[in-house]
Amino acid sequence: MEITNVTEYEAIAKEKLPKMVYDYYASGAEDQWTLKENRNAFSRILFRPRILVDVSKIDMATTILGFKISMPIMIAPTAMQKMAHPEGEYATARAASAAGTIMILSSWATSSVEEVASTGPGIRFFQLYVYKDRNVVAQLVRRAERAGFNAIALTVDTPRLGRRESDIKNRFVLPPYLTLRNFDGLNLGTMDKTNDSGLASYVAGQIDRSLSWKDVKWLQTITKLPILVKGVLTAEDTRLAIQAGAAGIIVSNHGARQLDYVPATIMALEEVVKAAQGRVPVFLDGGIRRGTDVFKALALGASGIFIGRPVVFSLAAEGEAGVRKVLQMLRDEFELTMALSGCRSLKEITRDHIVTEWDRPYLSPR
């Protein structure tokens, strides 16, 4: 079957992957309302395209934290990618580099920061969970710095793991031939089979539930790297993140895997952007499957977007070639959306190019 859009990879991944692995990547928390809403909310935003604009040249390039990239489409941290494909994070890193964009490597990667760095040059950020043992955190950050990573994305929405019922039913555990490579030799315990989710038990044992804003400040004392705060959904926390010295904010609900019935990230985005007042860039992850989604996020004030599940599904289907194709398809769709909306550069994408259901209630289906 010829793949013509990003969503078609999910069905292929479902066929190829063991049920436990597919369910781990695909599922959300509890009723999975937010999981569906992350996608559905985009359909409540419509375009106001401008016509008779010379769109013979379209420039999608942008600068993120001082790093020039080819497009505002980047790769979100997704854990344990070697469950999807033997090359895992290596393949994703090479695909991101070839596309001229940024990859965030998960703390819970099945390839270490050093291994990912060995794939060649690229702009890479490191996603960080804060462990109870702060020496482990300091060690991880130092290794990321030495490996040439360019920023830290601190995940702040996971003091405990959300209730993911598929993982409980499947007794989810990392396959025995894989390890969380960043923690090899650190004596942090293993993700063992339990009566529910092995990952939930591991998180309960290792991740620090006392994480607070003072830890964001502490992190700045151990690294010079810019820190993005990932998992912000409200204006109040946006202001606190900026006060705490965040270099940027990622509006994220953890792929709808933590607290169910939080808003779709695209719904929360504008509140965060307004609270940030241009002091730091705001990014979005969650639910992006089309170039039209990218445009809508930028029109609502995002400086760029991150994709997660499309990466692991395409990786499962076609390895590195799949991830490259996902990035190319989104790039092509985004470029077309810009052209058909009358925008030649990212700065020309404005709030005036869209209308939302919350602007005009008459858009709502009766």
Side-chain angles (χ1 to χ4, degrees):
M1 177 181 87
E2 186 186 354
I3 302 279
T4 55
N5 67 66
V6 164
T7 55
E8 289 174 344
Y9 275 117
E10 182 168 356
I12 299 169
K14 189 172 185 178
E15 272 177 34
K16 287 185 95 158
L17 291 171
K19 180 175 173 16
M20 178 189 79
V21 172
Y22 170 78
D23 286 353
Y24 169 74
Y25 289 140
S27 63
E30 297 189 352
D31 297 328
Q32 304 191 110
W33 182 87
T34 298
L35 183 69
K36 298 182 203 69
E37 184 68 2
N38 266 357
R39 281 297 306 132
N40 293 342
F42 280 100
S43 68
R44 300 197 290 274
I45 304 169
L46 303 182
F47 292 119
R48 299 182 69 249
R50 301 303 306 277
I51 55 170
L52 295 176
V53 177
D54 175 359
V55 289
S56 53
K57 289 191 179 67
I58 302 279
D59 180 14
M60 288 179 285
T62 188
T63 301
I64 303 295
L65 300 183
F67 300 100
K68 187 132 200 240
I69 56 174
S70 68
M71 58 182 175
I73 301 164
M74 299 166 280
I75 293 181
T78 48
M80 310 177 222
Q81 292 183 16
K82 283 187 179 175
M83 294 196 305
H85 187 274
E87 294 221 300
E89 294 86 0
Y90 292 89
T92 302
R94 288 194 295 261
S97 187
T101 194
I102 292 166
M103 169 194 183
I104 306 184
L105 181 71
S106 170
S107 274
W108 295 340
T110 37
S111 312
S112 68
V113 288
E114 294 84 3
E115 288 170 329
V116 168
S118 77
T119 63
I123 304 160
R124 300 185 185 110
F125 298 170
F126 180 65
Q127 177 269 332
L128 185 68
Y129 288 109
V130 174
Y131 277 61
K132 290 174 181 173
D133 184 344
R134 290 296 193 272
N135 289 327
V136 167
V137 178
Q139 202 173 324
L140 277 178
V141 169
R142 277 197 297 274
R143 283 172 56 198
E145 285 176 333
R146 280 200 301 270
F149 281 64
N150 306 103
I152 301 291
L154 177 68
T155 294
V156 294
D157 59 6
T158 316
R160 295 174 62 177
L161 206 68
R163 185 176 172 81
R164 305 169 191 176
E165 293 175 3
S166 297
D167 290 352
I168 295 168
K169 284 188 172 76
N170 295 328
R171 305 284 186 264
F172 174 80
V173 69
L174 187 63
Y177 59 90
L178 295 173
T179 61
L180 300 181
R181 291 282 288 148
N182 287 313
F183 303 104
D184 282 1
L186 287 179
N187 192 28
L188 278 178
T190 53
M191 203 183 300
D192 300 319
K193 232 177 173 42
T194 64
N195 287 331
D196 52 19
S197 158
L199 180 60
S201 299
Y202 174 80
V203 169
Q206 301 298 340
I207 299 299
D208 193 343
R209 293 185 186 183
S210 75
L211 184 68
S212 70
W213 292 109
K214 70 179 185 311
D215 295 292
V216 180
K217 292 184 171 165
W218 168 77
L219 205 49
Q220 291 164 75
T221 68
I222 65 163
T223 183
K224 296 278 191 288
L225 293 179
I227 296 162
L228 299 168
V229 175
K230 178 178 182 288
V232 175
L233 291 171
T234 64
E236 295 91 326
D237 284 338
T238 302
R239 289 189 282 269
L240 289 171
I242 294 168
Q243 280 168 25
I249 286 166
I250 302 177
V251 176
S252 171
N253 53 33
H254 212 106
R257 294 156 78 77
Q258 281 300 99
L259 181 62
D260 202 12
Y261 296 96
V262 295
T265 48
I266 194 69
M267 294 286 287
L269 175 62
E270 200 165 24
E271 176 182 329
V272 171
V273 167
K274 283 177 176 167
Q277 296 179 322
R279 290 172 289 177
V280 298
V282 174
F283 307 97
L284 175 125
D285 94 358
I288 300 274
R289 298 293 182 273
R290 286 280 190 187
T292 49
D293 300 335
V294 180
F295 187 100
K296 289 171 183 180
L298 267 63
L300 286 168
S303 294
I305 64 91
F306 290 93
I307 53 167
R309 287 185 179 91
V311 170
V312 287
F313 292 147
S314 60
L315 187 63
E318 293 178 351
E320 181 183 336
V323 183
R324 284 181 181 234
K325 189 161 181 187
V326 156
L327 290 167
Q328 189 62 49
M329 284 190 293
L330 286 174
R331 181 189 174 91
D332 291 345
E333 289 177 7
F334 178 53
E335 182 181 36
L336 181 61
T337 306
M338 285 179 68
L340 294 178
S341 298
C343 297
R344 294 159 293 198
S345 67
L346 302 190
K347 69 176 186 298
E348 290 187 356
I349 301 173
T350 68
R351 186 64 166 77
D352 292 337
H353 286 95
I354 56 167
V355 60
T356 69
E357 185 182 280
W358 50 100
D359 295 326
R360 310 264 178 95
Y362 61 76
L363 283 179
S364 309
R366 290 276 185 268

